[in-house]
Amino acid sequence: MQRFLNLANPVEAESQTKELQAAAPALGLQLRVSEVTTLDEVERVFTAVASDGKGAIQLSVDPLFGRPRAMVAIAARYAVPTVYPWREFVQAGGLMSYGSLIRDALRKVGVYAGHILNGEKPSDLPVERPTRFDFALNLKTTKDLKLTLPPTLVGLADTVIE
């Protein structure tokens, strides 16, 4: 599995990558990390993975990769199975995603803004982590990539796009 590390956002990317590096061997996966800072560099990695003929790409939560249509178009152009951080990528034609729900995060931003506008200090507000996660699959993309997913995996999905 290929993973991108955006050098412009090293703290977040490195922490996420360390977690994946720890989990990969237990899943029988080899994790390769590519350092990128532009979409052109991202495309070069997709080219390399496609020419290898095996493997997949996992995108992290990062502003560089935050354009669902652009990232899904690159993955489709090279026919590389790609796992995305949010359902919006799958709705745009991506293969699968697992991550928190953007609408939940936006709701929390609104609550935080309300507290701050009511005079609370931002430093006094608690740090919150997501509590709900969504696993989404796009079965049309699965067929386009000529992949066969186990029925149990499809059954686990919170969102299935046909």
Side-chain angles (χ1 to χ4, degrees):
M1 177 171 281
Q2 187 74 39
R3 168 125 170 98
F4 295 122
L5 178 64
N6 181 3
L7 295 177
N9 187 7
V11 174
E12 187 68 23
E14 287 175 9
S15 110
Q16 292 176 26
T17 300
K18 283 180 185 177
E19 292 172 12
L20 283 173
Q21 286 172 325
L27 299 170
L29 299 173
Q30 178 185 2
L31 182 66
R32 292 182 294 184
V33 178
S34 295
E35 297 177 347
V36 297
T37 56
T38 67
L39 283 180
D40 287 339
E41 292 171 347
V42 168
E43 191 146 1
R44 281 195 286 278
V45 174
F46 270 93
T47 303
V49 171
S51 69
D52 187 15
K54 57 185 176 186
I57 291 179
Q58 188 271 329
L59 292 182
S60 63
V61 174
D62 189 283
L64 178 62
F65 316 129
R67 297 177 22 216
R69 292 195 196 294
M71 296 309 299
V72 167
I74 292 170
R77 186 167 37 256
Y78 295 100
V80 173
T82 306
V83 179
Y84 302 92
W86 297 304
R87 179 190 325 161
E88 287 73 15
F89 288 88
V90 176
Q91 291 168 328
L95 176 62
M96 68 176 63
S97 68
Y98 182 75
S100 60
L101 298 168
I102 292 176
R103 69 174 180 256
D104 287 354
L106 294 174
R107 190 175 302 116
K108 287 183 182 189
V109 167
V111 170
Y112 269 58
H115 286 290
I116 293 167
L117 291 172
N118 286 327
E120 291 186 50
K121 294 180 184 176
S123 60
D124 292 340
L125 297 174
V127 174
E128 294 189 33
R129 301 198 88 160
T131 56
R132 293 186 338 155
F133 295 88
D134 182 74
F135 174 43
L137 290 172
N138 188 317
L139 296 182
K140 180 185 178 308
T141 304
T142 301
K143 290 176 190 166
D144 292 345
L145 292 171
K146 298 176 179 68
L147 297 174
T148 303
L149 299 178
T152 52
L153 182 66
V154 176
L156 290 171
D158 299 298
T159 304
V160 177
I161 297 171
E162 299 200 38

